[in-house]
Amino acid sequence: MAKRNSRPRGTVQYDNAGRIVLVTGGASGIGRGVAEAFHRSGARVVCLDLVPGEDLSDGIFFRKGDTSRRKDCEQAVEWVLSRFGGLDVLVNNAAVQPADSYRPIDEYTDELWQRMVDVNLTGYMQMARAVLPHMKTQQEGVIVNLASGQGHRTARGVPAYGPIKAANIMQTRQWGVEYARAGIRVVSVSPGAIDTPLVRQTLESQGGAEALSNRHPLGRIGTTAEVAHVVLWLSSDAASFVTATDVEVDGGLGAFGAFADPYPR
């Protein structure tokens, strides 16, 4: 029997006409899904990334930059403000989780640890620090931090990524409290397993996505559009009383009480 509602997942419509949005790491994966969703809803979108994405929609502006570098963050925000005269939403998404990071902490090099911290934690702070003076002046704005289910529960082989994502959630709570009276909301989204090229590559090296899909109560992994929908809702006036909190988008995986381990033993 056909499903009663056959719309593609994550297709709820929002009106972001006139809003200016900056998405870090917006050239691929979840960041790209978020950038495209804001663009389709009418926002003027700037994507900050190290590598240009292929076939980004016309009208999405690309700026090359490394969020681990303070100067790159400040210059990106200055460019947005000078080009568009404002900035309404910052989506902190740029992150790294290289293949050689899936190992116990006693096997980490100082360089690997520092790169993970510089991009995944300090980069979020540097982008927020660059946008907050403007948002404080205009007495409104939204910062969305992309965290992870691994920030709530852990697995083998993620001794840096998991703790750093937990820190992203605490950044969200602290900034949300700190800047609430300035009219600025700060929220985070913790995706579970999402169908991105990087996740597909990782899963294919371990025999495919079917086993991980079956661990989810919904029986599948998520899509970037489904994460983007939550980001757009949290950024909208519909979520005007939501701040300093995290929303998990994980198909119910976390409700089992233990993170399903997708990595080799």
Side-chain angles (χ1 to χ4, degrees):
M1 187 174 82
K3 291 183 178 180
R4 180 178 61 83
N5 189 338
S6 59
R7 289 181 304 168
R9 298 180 179 113
T11 58
V12 177
Q13 298 299 310
Y14 286 92
D15 181 4
N16 281 298
R19 301 186 85 193
I20 301 113
V21 180
L22 174 58
V23 182
T24 70
S28 63
I30 290 173
R32 176 172 179 157
V34 170
E36 294 282 1
F38 269 114
H39 175 64
R40 287 193 300 271
S41 67
R44 285 174 284 183
V45 180
V46 178
C47 163
L48 178 66
D49 212 317
L50 281 171
V51 181
E54 294 183 2
D55 301 322
L56 280 170
S57 294
D58 290 341
I60 294 180
F61 297 84
F62 177 82
R63 291 282 297 176
K64 184 176 181 179
D66 182 348
T67 58
S68 71
R69 295 169 54 88
R70 178 175 182 174
K71 186 176 181 180
D72 286 10
C73 298
E74 292 174 344
Q75 288 181 340
V77 172
E78 290 169 2
W79 185 87
V80 172
L81 294 176
S82 64
R83 177 67 182 263
F84 301 111
L87 179 55
D88 301 297
V89 181
L90 166 67
V91 181
N92 268 325
N93 169 75
V96 293
Q97 193 176 16
D100 65 349
S101 70
Y102 295 109
R103 60 179 66 197
I105 193 63
D106 62 299
E107 298 178 11
Y108 262 58
T109 63
D110 290 347
E111 293 76 17
L112 176 58
W113 173 267
Q114 196 59 52
R115 180 60 177 163
M116 299 279 283
V117 171
D118 287 347
V119 178
N120 299 358
L121 182 62
T122 305
Y124 280 30
M125 178 276 293
Q126 293 187 147
M127 287 302 305
R129 185 169 56 186
V131 304
L132 279 164
H134 169 72
M135 290 183 173
K136 287 168 64 178
T137 297
Q138 68 184 14
Q139 286 288 290
E140 65 178 345
V142 181
I143 298 174
V144 183
N145 294 322
L146 265 294
S148 170
Q150 290 179 7
H152 292 268
R153 57 202 66 83
T154 195
R156 282 177 291 274
V158 288
Y161 192 79
I164 291 168
K165 286 299 165 182
N168 292 154
I169 295 169
M170 186 51 70
Q171 283 176 320
T172 298
R173 291 172 177 163
Q174 199 283 322
W175 300 346
V177 169
E178 190 80 47
Y179 297 102
R181 297 297 176 91
I184 301 165
R185 294 190 298 109
V186 187
V187 291
S188 61
V189 175
S190 286
I194 304 299
D195 190 358
T196 66
L198 182 60
V199 168
R200 282 285 172 183
Q201 182 180 354
T202 301
L203 292 175
E204 286 171 6
S205 69
Q206 300 165 17
E210 184 176 356
L212 182 57
S213 295
N214 288 336
R215 291 174 185 159
H216 291 68
L218 290 180
R220 61 178 178 84
I221 62 176
T223 68
T224 58
E226 289 172 310
V227 178
H229 164 59
V230 176
V231 172
L232 263 65
W233 175 73
L234 286 169
S235 304
S236 75
D237 289 341
S240 57
F241 201 55
V242 180
T243 196
T245 194
D246 178 80
V247 177
E248 290 195 75
V249 186
D250 68 352
L253 183 63
F256 282 132
F259 197 85
D261 188 355
Y263 309 116
R265 296 169 185 254

